Amino acid sequence: MNSTHEKLAQSLKLTLDEDQLTNCMRCGFCQTACPTFIETGLEAASPRGRIALMKAVVDGLMEPDESFRSQMDLCLGCRACEPACPSDVKYGQLIEQTRAAIAAEKPYSMPVRIVRKTFLQGVFPHRRRLKLIGKTLSFYQKSGLQKFARNSGAMKLFPDHLQQLEQALPDVSGDGLEELWSKAGFPYRRETTDSGSGLMVIPAAGDTVGRVGMFRGCIMDVMFAPTNVNTVRLLRQAGFEIVIPEEQVCCGALHAHAGEMGDAKQLAGRNIWAFGEANVDYIASNAGGCGALLKEYDHLMRAEPDERLSQAAVRFADQVKDISELLHNLGRPLEPIHAEAGKDDAAVAVTYQDSCHLRNVMRVQEEPRQLMSQLPGVQLCELQGAEVCCGSAGIYNLTQTEMSTTLLDHKMEHVEATGAKVIVTSNPGCLLQMKWGIERAGLQNGVEAVHLADFLAKQVRMEDQLD
C-alpha cells in the first residue's frame, strides 16, 4: 500500500462510524432505491456495496485506491436508501465521513482545488460576494451580453451540458429577499438583538399564529430571490410573523457534501447563533437540500467541546420546518383564488418531483402534494419515479455529467407520460435540473418548471400583491 493510500486508510479508520458500518445487514433493500445501482446494476454502486468497500478498507482488506474513490464520488448522496433500510443505517453520515477523509488525505488536482477554494471558501460564506455574483448575472442577462453570447456562437466553446444549463438559468434580479421586499413597499420593521445584530421583521397578515425565522439561503437568494419573496408572502398570509436575521450565512450543505466538515461546522455555528438571538418558534426552509442539513445540525455539532453550542444545535434542528409543513400543518388555511374552478376539463395538469433531501431526510412528501391537491383547478398527476433523484445533487450535474444526464433523461420520459404542463419541485437545484431537462427534451413551448412557493403564490389570495 503506497503512503497516500495508507494515510487515507488510517483516516477512514478514525473517521468512519463503526456502529453504522456493522449495522448494515446486507439485505439489499437499499438497492431498489439507489439510482446509481438501478442504472449500472453494479454491487459497488449500491449503498450496500459502498458500505462493504468502506468496511473492507477499515478492516485492512483493500486499499482506498482510485476505484474506491470513484465509487464514493459516483454516489448522489440522495439518501433514498435510508427510508428503505430496515436497520436504519445512517448511510448519509457514512458517505460524508468518507468524503471528508478523502478531502483531507488525498489532495485534489490543482484546478479542482482552486475551484473548491474559490467557491466553498471564497464565495458561499460571504453574502456580499454572492450578491456581486447576482448583480453580475443580472447585468449579463439584461445588458445584451447573454443575447450576444448565444447569437455569436460563443457559447459553443463550452460543453453541451453547460450550454443547456445556461439556457435554463432563471432571470436574476440582482437583489436579495430584503431588498425586493422593501422595494415592493410591503410592511416590515427593523429590530436589533441584545448583541446588536439586525433583524428584518415582517408582521403576519391578521392574527399571529407563530414567529418564524426565514432561512434565505445563498443560491436561493441570488438566483431565486423572487421565490423567497413568495415564500414570505405565503407565510405571512398563513398567519406567521417572519423574522430575517441579517447575520445568517450559507447552511454549509455544499461544504458537508464535499467533505469540508470544518467549514460546514463554522457556518452552522453562525446560523445557530443568529437564529437563536431572533427568538423564533420555527425556522422556515424552502430548499430541500438546505433544510436537510439544517435539520441535522444536531448531528453535525454533536462533538463540539462547547456544550452550550451542541445543545443549541439540538434546539435549532428541532425548529427547522419546510414551508409546506408550516403552511399545511401549522398555519391558517390559504384561500384559493379560483374558488369555482375545478372541472377536470379546465384543470391545469401538474406533476411533482420530490426533492431527495426533503423526502429522505426531512421525511416530507405528502404536505406539498396535499397543498396542491386542495387547489380548485389543479389536477395533480403523480409522477412515476418521483422519489428517484433527478441527477442534480448539488454540483453532481457538473462533476458526474454522464450519470446526471442519464437520470434526467429518464425523468423527463416519465414527465412526458403524465401529460403535465407544470413540473413543481421544492429545491433550487432540482428546479434548475428540471429546467435543463425541459431544454434537453425540447419541451420549452409546452412545459414549465416552477418552485412550490411560486406555484402556490399564483393560486391563493394574498394581502401583498406583486405588480
Side-chain angles (χ1 to χ4, degrees), residues 95-110:
I95 192 67
E96 287 187 357
Q97 290 165 357
T98 300
R99 287 172 171 170
I102 291 172
E105 301 296 341
K106 190 171 175 54
Y108 289 90
S109 65
M110 181 60 73

Side-chain angles (χ1 to χ4, degrees), residues 219-420:
I219 299 299
M220 280 298 300
D221 215 40
V222 169
M223 300 185 69
F224 300 99
T227 302
N228 275 350
V229 170
N230 282 333
T231 299
V232 172
R233 292 171 68 213
L234 289 164
L235 290 171
R236 175 169 141 77
Q237 196 66 31
F240 295 102
E241 179 183 60
I242 301 98
V243 182
I244 308 171
E246 292 179 0
E247 299 299 325
Q248 64 176 293
V249 292
C250 170
C251 67
L254 290 176
H255 302 77
H257 300 332
E260 302 290 345
M261 302 306 293
D263 290 339
K265 289 179 180 180
Q266 287 185 6
L267 294 169
R270 292 170 64 182
N271 283 323
I272 291 167
W273 170 78
F275 282 90
E277 285 212 316
N279 191 30
V280 296
D281 302 314
Y282 309 103
I283 298 169
S285 168
N286 60 2
C290 297
L293 187 70
L294 297 174
K295 195 74 175 174
E296 293 192 327
Y297 270 7
D298 55 344
H299 166 73
L300 184 67
M301 309 299 283
R302 73 192 187 286
E304 282 299 301
D306 186 344
E307 188 174 337
R308 292 175 301 176
L309 180 55
S310 59
Q311 290 176 349
V314 172
R315 183 173 187 274
F316 181 101
D318 188 56
Q319 291 178 312
V320 174
K321 303 286 183 186
D322 182 67
I323 56 162
S324 62
E325 295 180 278
L326 291 166
L327 295 174
H328 186 268
N329 302 334
L330 299 167
R332 291 198 306 267
L334 299 171
E335 180 186 356
I337 293 174
H338 307 291
E340 301 301 322
K343 294 182 181 179
D344 289 342
D345 57 354
V348 177
V350 176
T351 195
Y352 181 72
Q353 166 62 28
D354 285 280
S355 157
C356 292
H357 286 87
L358 182 60
R359 181 186 182 106
N360 301 325
V361 182
M362 298 184 74
R363 304 297 171 98
V364 174
Q365 55 179 304
E366 293 304 321
E367 287 86 348
R369 290 173 167 83
Q370 290 172 0
L371 285 168
M372 290 185 288
S373 296
Q374 292 167 2
L375 293 169
V378 172
Q379 179 188 359
L380 184 61
C381 309
E382 193 61 41
L383 176 65
Q384 180 183 343
E387 75 284 358
V388 178
C389 184
C390 63
S392 172
I395 58 171
Y396 189 91
N397 54 11
L398 300 178
T399 61
Q400 299 285 338
T401 304
E402 182 178 355
M403 179 60 73
S404 177
T405 52
T406 298
L407 292 167
L408 181 59
D409 290 343
H410 291 167
K411 182 71 64 179
M412 295 312 299
E413 291 172 4
H414 295 318
V415 168
E416 287 191 78
T418 66

Side-chain angles (χ1 to χ4, degrees), residues 23 25 86 215:
N23 275 350
M25 301 187 303
F215 187 79

Side-chain angles (χ1 to χ4, degrees), residues 22-86:
T22 55
N23 275 350
C24 177
M25 301 187 303
R26 300 186 57 78
C27 64
F29 280 101
C30 60
Q31 293 182 317
T32 56
C34 177
T36 54
F37 176 79
I38 292 170
E39 291 298 333
T40 66
L42 297 175
E43 173 70 15
S46 71
R48 182 178 75 173
R50 292 189 180 101
I51 290 174
L53 292 175
M54 296 172 194
K55 194 169 188 313
V57 170
V58 169
D59 292 343
L61 300 177
M62 69 170 286
E63 294 185 14
D65 54 14
E66 287 303 319
S67 62
F68 173 85
R69 180 173 176 172
S70 67
Q71 281 303 340
M72 301 304 125
D73 288 342
L74 187 64
C75 175
L76 289 144
C78 69
R79 297 173 65 172
C81 51
E82 292 187 17
C85 179

Side-chain angles (χ1 to χ4, degrees), residues 179-229:
E179 293 85 0
L180 290 179
W181 189 268
S182 60
K183 286 181 179 180
F186 295 153
Y188 71 94
R189 67 181 185 273
R190 296 288 183 184
E191 291 184 2
T192 304
T193 67
D194 292 340
S195 68
S197 56
L199 304 173
M200 184 180 197
V201 181
I202 299 167
D207 295 336
T208 302
V209 300
R211 182 175 164 99
V212 172
M214 175 67 192
F215 187 79
R216 64 183 172 224
C218 48
I219 299 299
M220 280 298 300
D221 215 40
V222 169
M223 300 185 69
F224 300 99
T227 302
N228 275 350
V229 170

Side-chain angles (χ1 to χ4, degrees), residues 149-150 152-163:
R150 292 175 177 179
S152 67
M155 289 304 301
K156 293 182 180 179
L157 296 173
F158 296 93
D160 288 345
H161 70 282
L162 290 181
Q163 295 180 45

